[in-house]
Structure formats: structure tokens, C-alpha cells
Amino acid sequence: QVQLVESGGGLVQAGGSLRLSCAASRRTLNTYNMGWFRQAPGKEREFVAAVSWSGNTVDYRASLRGRFTISIDNAKNTVYLQMNSLKPEDTAVYFCAFGAFVGRTSMPKESTYDYWGQGTMVTVSS
């Protein structure tokens, strides 16, 4: 069982930055993904970014490359999402997730992940 707790969300003006954190209570796997998804009001959950346990494999939603950066601190079981140049369309609840690493192509798939956090709200005003 893995518990995930997100933090770092809040209200920010367009063009600003936020850094989200997600701490996992424990690791059930030696090779794993930690990822971020988001869900805006009235929209489906969508993939944001993911990183392998080693930090060597990453994937991003194409439209977010260059603005968002994912990183992992394996020793702390913590994944981070640095969000820069935020836009109102980034407003959403951001969820972190934990699952087995089975290849980069699987990272964007929700089915890859077995555990999900409760989410942290990010609101970008303009």
C-alpha cells in the first residue's frame, strides 16, 4: 500500500510559477514511475508528466514541454513538478500517481498507476 500526499498548490497569477511536491509513504517496487495528472473542471483527467525511479526516463505532455519540469528524489520518495509561465488553462486539480515502470510509452497511461493522491488545486488567474 502506498499513500501519496500532494502539496504546493495554490493561487498564482499568469506568468508565475509553482512547485508541486508529492511524497510517497513507501515504495512497493524497486522500479517505478511517479507521475502527475491534472483535471480541470468539466474536463477529463489528462497526463502531465512522469519520471522513472532513477530520474533517467521522463515524459511530458507535448504541450507542456519547456514550461513544466518533473524531477524525483528517490531517497525521499518524492516527486516534484516545477511549473513555470503558468497560464489560466493550467488551472486544475493536480494528482500524483505511483506505479510500476514498464517503459516510457506506458507513462502517460492512467492504467500504469496503482496509487493516486487526493490532488492539490492550482488556480492561475489572469
Side-chain angles (χ1 to χ4, degrees), residues 43-102:
K43 296 185 178 180
E44 295 184 355
R45 182 182 285 172
E46 65 182 21
F47 174 70
V48 175
V51 60
S52 66
W53 81 99
S54 65
N56 291 332
T57 304
V58 298
D59 195 23
Y60 295 92
R61 188 175 188 86
S63 61
L64 301 178
R65 288 189 173 96
R67 292 199 298 120
F68 288 15
T69 303
I70 191 168
S71 61
I72 191 165
D73 186 335
N74 183 266
K76 296 182 178 180
N77 298 339
T78 300
V79 66
Y80 305 94
L81 184 69
Q82 179 68 44
M83 305 185 294
N84 297 326
S85 301
L86 284 162
K87 304 174 181 179
E89 51 263 45
D90 295 319
T91 295
V93 177
Y94 284 71
F95 300 90
C96 67
F98 179 101
F101 178 73
V102 291

Side-chain angles (χ1 to χ4, degrees), residues 98-114:
F98 179 101
F101 178 73
V102 291
R104 187 173 183 270
T105 58
S106 295
M107 284 182 155
K109 302 176 181 178
E110 291 188 23
S111 60
T112 296
Y113 303 92
D114 299 313

